Amino acid sequence: MSTIDNHARPRLVCGVRLRWDDVRKQHWLLIPEGALQLNSTAAAILALCNGEQTLNAIAAELEKQYQGENVVEDVRHLLSRISKRGLLILEGNKQEVKVSL
């Protein structure tokens, strides 16, 4: 089992882009084989994924926008889902290894 470390620096993989569609008034994550429709919160999180900011820094920035709400776990959950689809690189992430005895 792996988890995203608080100090991981996420960034979108090459070829994946965030876009705002003026016609549909909707955020999209454009991927080589299609597109994912995003809500405004997901778009705000992914816009901060530049490979320089840590998960903690991204959450802190969003907490300012959302009036102090604790969003670390929500950010971690979204990034985990996007990462599992192969659309996100987690630089500096330590892999947690689950060992069965």
Side-chain angles (χ1 to χ4, degrees), residues 3-4 8 12 32 34 37 40-41 46 49 52 55 64 66 68 81 88-89 91-92 97:
T3 187
I4 299 176
L12 296 173
Q37 187 177 12
S40 60
T41 306
L46 293 175
C49 293
E52 295 176 15
L55 182 142
K64 291 178 197 173
Y66 293 99
R81 289 177 57 204
L88 195 70
I89 294 172
E91 297 174 356
V97 179

Side-chain angles (χ1 to χ4, degrees), residues 52-68:
E52 295 176 15
Q53 296 189 77
T54 65
L55 182 142
N56 276 345
I58 291 168
E61 181 66 31
L62 292 168
E63 286 170 1
K64 291 178 197 173
Q65 294 177 26
Y66 293 99
Q67 302 167 352

Side-chain angles (χ1 to χ4, degrees), residues 48-86:
L48 296 170
C49 293
N50 57 13
E52 295 176 15
Q53 296 189 77
T54 65
L55 182 142
N56 276 345
I58 291 168
E61 181 66 31
L62 292 168
E63 286 170 1
K64 291 178 197 173
Q65 294 177 26
Y66 293 99
Q67 302 167 352
E69 287 289 320
N70 187 348
V71 298
V72 173
E73 290 309 314
D74 294 333
V75 171
R76 188 184 326 274
H77 179 72
L78 174 74
L79 296 181
S80 177
R81 289 177 57 204
I82 298 296
S83 177
K84 285 179 184 174
R85 293 185 87 151

Side-chain angles (χ1 to χ4, degrees), residues 26-31 34-38 82 85 87:
Q26 184 65 49
H27 294 279
W28 292 90
L29 186 62
L30 303 179
I31 57 179
L36 298 173
Q37 187 177 12
L38 301 173
I82 298 296
R85 293 185 87 151
L87 305 175

